């Protein structure tokens, strides 16, 4: 049985790293709200786990990392659901300068 390939879906977020390594702003730049947004930090320092019920287009969520040095790196795993209830994961780099990928 042939299953159609789903259309590619761009990650609906941009990251403002201007206040890194202590603060990162995750902005929903997509055209639809995301639901059940959770963020889990892996790396140096401490970032409290976050859970947000809904993040509408144009809205931002601040990620605070405590105890991280300027040259520390880490990641945040971002999990969310689209309006059709499909689930997505994105691994976001927490470097402060042009090393971000």
């Amino acid at each position: 049985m042939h299953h159609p390939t789903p259309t590619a879906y761009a990650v609906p977020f941009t990251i403002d790293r201007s206040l890194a390594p202590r603060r990162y702003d995750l902005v929903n730049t997509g055209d639809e709200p995301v639901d059940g947004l959770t963020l889990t930090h892996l790396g140096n320092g401490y970032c409290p786990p976050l859970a947000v019920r809904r993040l509408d287009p144009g809205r931002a969520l601040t990620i605070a990392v405590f105890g991280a040095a300027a040259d520390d790196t880490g990641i945040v795993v971002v999990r969310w659901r689209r309006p059709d209830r499909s689930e997505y994961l994105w691994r976001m780099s927490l470097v402060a300068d042009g090393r971000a990928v």
Side-chain angles (χ1 to χ4, degrees), residues 80-101:
W80 73 96
R81 291 189 182 277
R82 293 182 68 187
D84 69 1
R85 305 306 299 153
S86 56
E87 179 182 49
Y88 290 83
L89 296 170
W90 178 47
R91 195 176 99 166
M92 177 186 91
S93 174
L94 288 185
V95 294
D97 58 22
R99 295 177 291 162
V101 178

Side-chain angles (χ1 to χ4, degrees), residues 4-43:
T5 304
T7 305
Y9 169 62
V11 172
F13 305 112
T14 58
I15 305 301
D16 178 354
R17 292 179 170 86
S18 61
L19 297 174
R22 306 283 187 293
R23 176 181 164 171
Y24 302 82
D25 291 321
L26 178 77
V27 183
N28 181 353
T29 53
D31 59 357
E32 62 188 22
V34 296
D35 295 315
L37 183 70
T38 62
L39 295 96
T40 305
H41 172 254
L42 303 168

Side-chain angles (χ1 to χ4, degrees), residues 41 43-47 65-68 72:
H41 172 254
N44 295 333
Y46 172 71
C47 175
V65 181
F66 302 97
D72 284 341

